[in-house]
Amino acid sequence: MRLLILLLALTAMTAHAHDPATSAPATEAGPKTALVIHGGAGFVPKDALSEADVRDVHATLNRALDAGHAILADGGAALDAVEAAVLVLEESPRFNAGKGAVFNAEGRHDLDASVMEGHTRRAGAVAGLTTVRNPVKLARAVMEHSPHVMLAGDGAEAFADTREDIARVPNEWFDTDHRRRALEKAQQQASLGGAPDKYFGTVGAVALDAHGHIAAATSTGGMTNKKWGRVGDVPVIGAGTWADERCGVSGTGWGEFYIRNAVAHDICARVAYRGDSLEVAANEVVNKIVPAAGGDGGAIALDGDGNIAMPFNSGSMFRGWIKPDGSRGTAIHED
Ligand code: ASP
């Protein structure tokens, strides 16, 4: 009998040790937290931004960092932190997500978003939203309040109708003059047989919380002048967004190439299966695999030790970070 009790106690202890929900990193310096965000890769020549623009970009990125960090510093969940950071960026007309989303070929906006929580492997995604003010919130609601992972178009809007916490706006609410000018330019280029207009300004966040849990979120209006209900990589789990027990990624770039190369998952798979460092894995995928396939863009990534990587091959990527030691920054070019 005593042996049985001992065995049961041992089994309970082992199960506890492997339960990711209780595996907070116990370092002498206390639990580590980290946060990394992006406001999209693309090519902004340095002289294309006025001093006021640059100030505003940094200020907005810092507001997003503050929103996420306040939650992490309080012992809150990585999932809450990435949602809070992305909400700030969706509300800013400067980025291609929520207010300020790009126009599709019909002069309207279709929005995509997703979230993933690493230790539970739960995920939620929405595609082709037309009236949801904050797509990241609906992506999270799909994860938490539906039996599904991805909802699209009218069905996603109908699901939003069932949720009182999801704010709705007319599609024109997302309009901004600078995105309309970008559409006009893209349509002129297309009529002259030019290359498709590039992406720009998708937003995302990846966080590590004090419990050692990782979450990632991404939100976008997609690509200017997109047609036929085009859906990019952002709501495709494993392409634009991924989180597992040890690694999380949010991508930004030419979505078709991110889907074909399962970019977000590939970065974390290299860490998990090959033992690559996060830096090596993210660089390899963003700076070799994607360009070799003909695509471009960037990604932000973070691992369970709080290491972060922010590679891009597109000339610039709006980005910000807070490392486990509390050091923080925001950047646009390869500063
Ligand atoms: N990846 C996004 C898409 O293809 C665009 C972007 O990152 O700006 O929809």
Side-chain angles (χ1 to χ4, degrees):
M1 184 65 186
R2 233 183 260 155
L3 185 67
L4 184 66
I5 292 171
L6 184 70
L7 270 175
L8 283 173
L10 271 176
T11 319
M13 276 167 68
T14 325
H16 182 79
H18 289 287
D19 175 8
T22 59
S23 61
T27 61
E28 276 174 24
K32 287 177 184 172
T33 68
L35 176 65
V36 58
I37 62 171
H38 71 76
F43 177 60
V44 215
K46 281 195 173 156
D47 54 10
L49 290 173
S50 69
E51 270 180 35
D53 286 336
V54 171
R55 264 200 310 277
D56 185 53
V57 167
H58 288 293
T60 311
L61 291 171
N62 272 307
R63 278 211 317 278
L65 284 175
D66 289 342
H69 184 65
I71 291 167
L72 296 174
D74 210 30
L79 182 64
D80 291 328
V82 293
E83 182 187 4
V86 167
L87 275 173
V88 170
L89 300 171
E90 282 183 342
E91 286 291 311
S92 162
R94 191 164 280 285
F95 301 103
N96 173 20
K99 178 77 182 171
V102 297
F103 285 89
N104 65 18
E106 289 86 47
R108 290 173 57 78
H109 311 273
D110 308 312
L111 305 145
D112 305 335
S114 65
V115 296
M116 187 163 187
E117 185 178 61
H119 68 294
T120 57
R121 295 282 178 122
R122 294 188 305 166
V126 284
L129 299 179
T130 52
T131 68
V132 173
R133 175 167 173 157
N134 296 112
V136 71
K137 280 189 126 179
L138 193 66
R140 180 168 176 173
V142 170
M143 177 175 101
E144 292 182 328
H145 303 293
S146 92
H148 305 301
V149 168
M150 191 195 292
L151 300 180
D154 291 347
E157 293 282 326
F159 174 66
D161 293 344
T162 71
R163 307 275 332 153
E164 273 175 17
D165 54 337
I166 298 296
R168 312 296 280 278
V169 288
N171 195 257
E172 309 79 60
W173 182 83
F174 299 107
D175 289 4
T176 49
D177 290 343
H178 68 289
R179 296 295 183 195
R180 192 175 290 286
R181 285 195 298 275
L183 175 66
E184 286 161 6
K185 192 169 150 223
Q187 294 189 328
Q188 266 165 16
Q189 278 168 351
S191 70
L192 298 171
D197 198 55
K198 283 299 177 62
Y199 53 85
F200 192 56
T202 286
V203 308
V206 192
L208 168 70
D209 67 26
H211 309 281
H213 299 156
I214 294 172
T218 316
S219 180
T220 191
M223 287 170 78
T224 302
N225 202 28
K226 62 187 181 180
K227 298 187 180 67
W228 306 307
R230 179 263 189 193
V231 175
D233 58 311
V234 167
V236 179
I237 296 300
T241 303
W242 178 260
D244 59 34
E245 295 75 6
R246 278 175 297 249
C247 172
V249 174
S250 170
T252 166
W254 194 343
E256 279 68 9
F257 293 88
Y258 278 58
I259 296 173
R260 290 177 191 152
N261 293 285
V263 162
H265 181 261
D266 191 18
I267 293 173
C268 291
R270 285 161 186 268
V271 173
Y273 306 153
R274 300 197 346 169
D276 284 357
S277 71
L278 186 78
E279 184 78 24
V280 164
N283 259 319
E284 185 84 11
V285 175
V286 169
N287 287 321
K288 292 197 185 142
I289 309 269
V290 170
D296 53 6
I300 54 170
L302 169 158
D303 71 16
D305 293 323
N307 296 308
I308 61 172
M310 302 174 288
F312 55 95
N313 58 50
S314 50
S316 54
M317 181 167 78
F318 296 135
R319 60 202 188 279
W321 61 91
I322 301 181
K323 295 185 182 175
D325 65 4
S327 62
R328 62 186 282 168
T330 55
I332 301 175
H333 296 98
E334 318 241 9
D335 307 319

